[in-house]
Amino acid sequence: MKVYMKITQDKYGLPLAVSESCRGLERLLGRKEKTITSYLYHVKCGTIKTRYPRYISVEIEDETLEG
């Protein structure tokens, strides 16, 4: 399962908003889903080189969520 987050742009990268989908972040932040997915794609491909990203996706194992 993937979790999508908007994080602070500093060395700590603290989560500001967390959702199970980019569409959920869209609703929380008022940003277009395409903006978020495009940013994630370009960071992954290396066309955007940034030390502190705005958005990240994190893979979480389902076992972790079950307790």
Side-chain angles (χ1 to χ4, degrees):
M1 170 183 186
K2 271 192 179 178
V3 176
Y4 298 89
M5 297 187 277
K6 176 168 176 58
I7 60 174
T8 57
Q9 286 187 275
D10 57 12
K11 66 181 180 178
Y12 303 109
L14 301 172
L16 298 172
V18 179
S19 180
E20 293 180 358
S21 67
C22 287
R23 185 164 291 195
L25 275 183
E26 173 189 34
R27 285 186 220 124
L28 287 171
L29 302 171
R31 302 288 307 223
K32 291 184 180 179
E33 178 183 7
K34 184 170 178 143
T35 301
I36 298 166
T37 56
S38 176
Y39 182 85
L40 290 170
Y41 172 79
H42 287 290
V43 168
K44 183 178 180 180
C45 291
T47 54
I48 295 176
K49 295 186 191 294
T50 181
R51 187 170 178 183
Y52 305 117
R54 292 182 197 139
Y55 303 100
I56 60 170
S57 62
V58 179
E59 189 72 35
I60 298 178
E61 295 180 24
D62 290 331
E63 298 167 3
T64 307
L65 300 175
E66 292 174 6

